[in-house]
Amino acid sequence: MTSARIRRPLTAAAAVLAVLSLAAVGAVMALAAAGQAAPQWVTSTALYGLPAAFLLMLVLVVDGVAARRRAGTSGGR
């Protein structure tokens, strides 16, 4: 599916997206506790960032499993 050259940047992008989304969730919660409304872009990042990062990581895991099966390594079984 994807080469190793592409897999590493995609993994880093998914991790960065997950961290930024978690920070946005924290910001939304902190602003809500202070009685203020969070800006729309912060709320959108919190709402859509984590599922997007999760799906990207899921695709990378499935791709890794498929690559190992194609290579013939069974991981010790």
Side-chain angles (χ1 to χ4, degrees):
M1 285 194 182
T2 59
S3 67
R5 291 184 326 155
I6 296 172
R7 198 174 302 137
R8 184 167 295 209
L10 284 178
T11 303
V16 167
L17 183 60
V19 168
L20 288 176
S21 297
L22 284 174
V25 169
V28 168
M29 291 174 62
L31 287 170
Q36 299 175 350
Q40 182 181 5
W41 66 271
V42 175
T43 305
S44 296
T45 303
L47 185 63
Y48 298 116
L50 280 175
F54 175 78
L55 290 175
L56 184 55
M57 288 183 189
L58 181 68
V59 166
L60 288 166
V61 166
V62 169
D63 181 55
V65 169
R68 285 180 186 232
R69 287 185 183 227
R70 281 191 307 266
T73 58
S74 62
R77 286 188 179 201

